[in-house]
Amino acid sequence: PVVQAGLRDFVSADPRYHVKDVVSDGGSFIKACAGAKVEIGIIGWALPDMSGGDVLAVLKQQKLPTRVIVYTGDNSPVVLRKTVKAGACGFVYKGDDPSVLMDTLSSVARGRLSLPFVDIDT
């Protein structure tokens, strides 16, 4: 809840963005994306009910156009590879400077990918 509140307040402080909702699990995120036009969503990789990869798979299966940024405390190359292969548009490590999140959000809002380099074949 602290991270969710902090993200909501941090992103809402930028007038370019409007935070529609904050949810605590993957199922609720998917419902929010299906029920309203959610252009960009920020999710964790390890959610209480599923992984970020599972969320991305459901969004793809349901053909929901939400562009997803994975915001995680796990900066391992394995998670980054899985994020890229699952179709995320952005990846931000929680240990990064807050400006990295805003740069990623801005880039994804412009239709670009914002991912750190990773060799996805290893």
Side-chain angles (χ1 to χ4, degrees), residues 36-68:
K37 185 178 180 190
V38 178
E39 293 179 30
I40 301 170
I42 301 171
I43 63 170
W45 185 254
L47 301 167
D49 58 344
M50 62 181 67
S51 74
D54 296 331
V55 170
L56 289 161
V58 172
L59 293 177
K60 186 175 185 176
Q61 176 191 18
Q62 294 183 8
K63 296 183 174 134
L64 297 172
T66 304
R67 290 168 283 169
V68 175

Side-chain angles (χ1 to χ4, degrees), residues 74-88:
D74 188 342
N75 69 343
S76 75
V78 172
V79 170
L80 180 52
R81 277 190 215 76
K82 288 180 180 180
T83 298
V84 171
K85 288 180 179 181

Side-chain angles (χ1 to χ4, degrees), residues 1-12 19 21-26 28-29 42-44 46-49 71 94 101:
V2 172
V3 171
Q4 291 171 343
L7 277 174
R8 180 194 61 234
D9 294 347
F10 183 68
V11 174
S12 293
V19 177
D21 202 359
V22 176
V23 297
S24 60
D25 59 64
S28 298
F29 179 78
I42 301 171
I43 63 170
L47 301 167
D49 58 344
Y71 181 69
K94 287 180 181 177
L101 176 62

Side-chain angles (χ1 to χ4, degrees), residues 56-122:
L56 289 161
V58 172
L59 293 177
K60 186 175 185 176
Q61 176 191 18
Q62 294 183 8
K63 296 183 174 134
L64 297 172
T66 304
R67 290 168 283 169
V68 175
I69 296 169
V70 173
Y71 181 69
T72 181
D74 188 342
N75 69 343
S76 75
V78 172
V79 170
L80 180 52
R81 277 190 215 76
K82 288 180 180 180
T83 298
V84 171
K85 288 180 179 181
C89 294
F91 182 93
V92 179
Y93 171 58
K94 287 180 181 177
D96 286 337
D97 188 84
S99 65
V100 173
L101 176 62
M102 295 312 288
D103 290 345
T104 300
L105 188 54
S106 175
S107 181
V108 171
R110 291 189 320 269
R112 298 179 179 267
L113 298 177
S114 184
L115 303 159
F117 173 79
V118 65
D119 184 352
I120 62 171
D121 292 327
T122 59

